């Protein structure tokens, strides 16, 4: 018990510092008071939730997953089923069970149940996939993503197929997204310092020694997979409430690319890297959007061609990974500055 308390005291600085950074972004949105900028900060918090959710599995297991956007899709549609007005569900989603059609929950309750829904499916898929390793596991997670996308793109009476599902209650204030992002950070930290998280990282770094020590690698991977699936599901639900509309392709290859990019740039093995990767690349994305929209300089307007955003992101990723293959943070975390003790003598 004392050893666990020691680990907690030694590592608690990381989620506290990261939470402080997120609170600073929320206060910035509050001070600016602009609706477009407020939505930009909401998008940042949503990316934090998703990238941290991805880190919980990828960062601790070392297995690259191309399928976690599928859990975001599950969470988003669960939020739609649980929070849309009954009349909208009767019109747009006539295949839903009657009890679900008549049910309408607050967005926060819907987000919690959406996280549970995604976690259940993560457990079902993970029971099969977590026995695989390396490239086989990565390809299998992509197959999982393709399956989820195919089902939700064709199940017309329940998901609306490729048509947009509208009528989801929109939440414009930044504070619920801030709370969810901080919650995701603390969940990731709690898993990392847990016995399961420590065992999983030991198996990632020294698989032979971990196997000889009796670590059940498929079981520990499954735990991380379920926890990360729940966080991704919560992120998907809040994503749906941030824009009020969902389609299956929103949670497919584009989202997979951007979340993996932010995690890799920040540092796959670091919770701090996951959050900083989001903050840095989100800032770059927003600046490029402004430049693409056009900036007035005197009597003329300067605007970048459309598509520069994707090219710039690719160049930034190449430069960062060429100079620092382990990402900005590597495997290190943000901590309080250490006091240097001076010895008198």
């Amino acid at each position: 018990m004392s050893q666990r308390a020691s680990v907690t005291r030694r590592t608690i600085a990381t989620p506290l510092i990261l939470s402080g950074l997120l609170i600073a972004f929320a206060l910035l949105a509050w001070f600016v008071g602009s609706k477009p900028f407020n939505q930009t900060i909401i998008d940042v918090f949503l990316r934090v939730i998703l990238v941290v959710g991805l880190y919980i599995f990828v960062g601790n297991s070392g297995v690259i997953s191309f399928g976690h956007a599928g859990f975001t899709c599950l969470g988003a549609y669960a939020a739609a089923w649980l929070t849309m007005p009954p009349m909208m569900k009767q019109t747009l989603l006539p295949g839903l069970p009657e009890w679900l059609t008549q049910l309408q929950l607050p967005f926060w309750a819907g987000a919690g149940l959406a996280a549970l829904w995604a976690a259940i499916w993560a457990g079902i898929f993970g029971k099969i996939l977590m026995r695989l390793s390396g490239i086989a596991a990565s390809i299998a997670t992509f197959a999982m993503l393709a399956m989820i996308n195919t089902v939700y793109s064709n199940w017309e009476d329940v998901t609306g197929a490729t048509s947009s599902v509208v009528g989801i209650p929109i939440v414009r204030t930044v504070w619920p997204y801030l709370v969810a992002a901080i919650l995701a950070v603390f969940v990731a930290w709690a898993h990392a310092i847990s016995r399961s998280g420590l065992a999983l990282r030991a198996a990632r770094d020294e698989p032979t020694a971990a196997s000889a020590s009796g670590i059940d690698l498929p079981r520990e991977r499954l735990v991380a997979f379920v926890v990360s699936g729940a966080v991704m599901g919560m992120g998907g639900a809040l994503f749906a409430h941030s824009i009020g509309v969902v389609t299956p392709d929103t949670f497919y290859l584009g989202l997979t690319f951007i979340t993996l990019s932010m995690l890799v740039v920040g540092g796959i093995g670091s919770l701090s890297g996951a959050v900083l990767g989001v903050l840095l690349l989100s800032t770059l994305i927003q600046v490029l959007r402004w430049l693409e929209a056009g900036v007035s300089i005197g009597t003329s307007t300067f605007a970048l061609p459309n598509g520069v955003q994707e090219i710039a992101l690719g160049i930034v990723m190449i430069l960062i990974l060429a100079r620092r293959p382990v990402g900005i943070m590597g495997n290190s975390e943000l901590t309080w500055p250490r006091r240097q003790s001076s010895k008198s003598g």
Side-chain angles (χ1 to χ4, degrees):
M1 188 68 178
S2 59
Q3 184 179 3
R4 176 65 183 275
S6 175
V7 172
T8 301
R9 287 195 302 270
R10 195 168 62 248
T11 60
I12 188 65
T14 297
L16 291 177
I17 293 172
L18 296 176
S19 298
L21 287 174
L22 297 176
I23 291 171
F25 270 68
L27 291 175
L28 179 62
W30 182 63
F31 282 127
V32 171
S34 165
K35 289 184 178 180
F37 188 73
N38 187 77
Q39 185 62 44
T40 297
I41 299 300
I42 288 174
D43 292 341
V44 170
F45 291 153
L46 289 172
R47 292 189 189 114
V48 168
I49 296 169
L50 299 183
V51 175
V52 167
L54 186 62
Y55 156 80
I56 292 173
F57 176 71
V58 175
N60 289 294
S61 69
V63 177
I64 300 297
S65 171
F66 297 107
H68 270 62
F71 300 129
T72 310
C73 181
L74 293 172
Y77 275 89
W81 297 337
L82 293 167
T83 62
M84 285 174 59
M87 290 189 63
M88 295 288 292
K89 285 187 276 189
Q90 288 174 356
T91 304
L92 300 175
L93 308 172
L96 289 176
E98 182 63 22
W99 67 269
L100 187 54
T101 300
Q102 298 303 322
L103 183 66
Q104 185 176 11
L105 298 176
F107 80 92
W108 53 268
L113 290 175
L116 178 61
W117 174 248
I120 290 171
W121 281 103
I124 294 171
F125 283 113
K127 195 69 175 177
I128 302 169
L129 302 182
M130 293 304 100
R131 297 187 177 278
L132 303 175
S133 297
I135 191 64
S138 298
I139 293 174
T141 59
F142 179 74
M144 177 191 73
L145 173 63
M147 289 171 57
I148 293 173
N149 180 263
T150 300
V151 170
Y152 275 66
S153 295
N154 291 278
W155 202 1
E156 188 168 357
D157 288 345
V158 174
T159 66
T162 55
S163 301
S164 298
V165 175
V166 298
I168 303 170
I170 298 177
V171 180
R172 294 294 190 197
T173 179
V174 74
W175 306 113
Y177 302 95
L178 169 65
V179 172
I182 292 175
L183 176 62
V185 167
F186 272 90
V187 167
W189 167 76
H191 172 263
I193 67 169
S194 69
R195 180 174 298 179
S196 180
L198 294 172
L200 186 56
R201 287 201 302 282
R204 176 198 66 187
D205 298 333
E206 297 290 343
T208 304
S211 178
S213 301
I215 292 177
D216 187 346
L217 182 56
R219 178 185 177 278
E220 305 306 346
R221 283 181 176 172
L222 179 60
V223 171
F225 201 67
V226 170
V227 174
S228 65
V231 173
M232 298 292 284
M234 177 182 69
L238 292 174
F239 189 104
H241 287 295
S242 73
I243 57 177
V245 57
V246 291
T247 56
D249 284 346
T250 304
F251 311 101
Y252 200 38
L253 297 181
L255 185 63
T256 298
F257 170 74
I258 194 66
T259 51
L260 272 173
S261 299
M262 290 177 171
L263 181 60
V264 169
V265 166
I268 286 180
S270 167
L271 174 58
S272 301
V275 175
L276 292 179
V278 172
L279 299 182
L280 292 175
L281 288 188
S282 293
T283 301
L284 175 62
I285 288 171
Q286 187 57 43
V287 170
L288 291 173
R289 282 178 179 170
W290 284 335
L291 293 177
E292 286 182 359
V295 177
S296 297
I297 303 176
T299 58
S300 59
T301 300
F302 171 77
L304 293 175
N306 292 331
V308 169
Q309 180 186 144
E310 288 76 11
I311 296 173
L313 282 177
I315 292 173
V316 168
M317 284 186 61
I318 292 171
L319 290 176
I320 290 178
L321 297 180
R323 302 284 297 184
R324 190 172 173 80
V326 293
I328 296 172
M329 293 298 296
N331 291 325
S332 60
E333 301 287 359
L334 296 174
T335 58
W336 307 125
R338 292 184 177 179
R339 293 181 179 179
Q340 294 183 351
S341 57
S342 57
K343 294 183 179 181
S344 59

